[in-house]
Amino acid sequence: MRDVDDVTTDLLIIGAGPTGLFSAYYAGFRGLRVAVVDSLPELGGQITAMYPEKAILDVAGFPSVKGRDLVEGLVEQAATADPTYLLDRTATTLEHGEDQVVVTLDDGTRVTAGAVLITSGIGKFSPRPLPAGDGWVGRGMEFFVPSFAPYAGKDVVVVGGGDSAFDWAQHLEPIATSVTLVHRRDAFRAHERTVAAVKDSSVAIITNAQVTELRGDAHLEEVVVSVDGEEPQTLKAQALVAALGFIADLGAIQQWGLETHKRHVVVDSSMRTNLARVFAAGDITDYPGKVRLIAVGFGEAATAVNNAAVVLDPSAHVFPGHSSEG
């Protein structure tokens, strides 16, 4: 990685998650100079920040791949493009020139590019708070599980009913002394296969319930769960994971004049936005029939880069030839 001031490049990618990293590789495959900016200090986006131990099941060619291993492979692949990484910095403004786009970062760096590709996923994210958990972060309560090892031999309570809650309950069950999943409804948003696996495991599931109190001195010792129509129950717990989702914020990107729909950037079939020389790919995009999967983001990345290549050089072809060709 190179620590630089002002940058001139062919393609600026905003977002260093899986889609952004694959975009960087593909830009190099098309012979483009590429720079990648991300507000996080590490590559890998949400996976690195929140799910490095999670088993990912929907990437072609991998029946199951751990999040950190997927990111490691993507970083190695992207390295073939010799990208300029601008990490721990946020894109703030975008200006159009005659045949270029200038993006200014929050540290004053100006990036001049022939085209911009936005792959920033959901943007900046912050976890939804657990009302009863105020003051307990670092004392037994966490919002994410970057490593399973600290939970070995502990009684763990997982709060939530989505994919993250069930994934973490499933992965923690073999190493924790006990795992209890608490959800405020009796229906779950998680993938049916994962829900079935957790139900068939030793994980205890309490529905129509709320965590109303955390108890302990220096560290968590007990969790009080209030179930609709029943007396509150007290669970022994040394760890609690509040997997209640997160609040997304596209930040300054929302001020650039992009057409958006429910905090997503609208694109056409070539991944073009309504702004000249600005493309988008991955979870941030929206179009009829959109499916938000990593695998889909990879395909959109290739589509965006190939179409951006023609914008940069009108004599180029959208179809690059097969990557297996010599």
Side-chain angles (χ1 to χ4, degrees), residues 297-317:
F298 290 159
E300 292 175 355
T303 298
V305 171
N306 282 320
N307 283 279
V310 177
V311 170
L312 295 170
D313 179 6
S315 67
H317 298 286

Side-chain angles (χ1 to χ4, degrees), residues 183-204:
H183 185 44
R184 59 190 174 89
R185 297 198 301 266
D186 57 6
F188 307 111
R189 302 183 310 279
H191 193 283
E192 292 178 3
R193 178 178 171 184
T194 310
V195 172
V198 171
K199 285 183 175 180
D200 288 341
S201 73
S202 66
V203 174

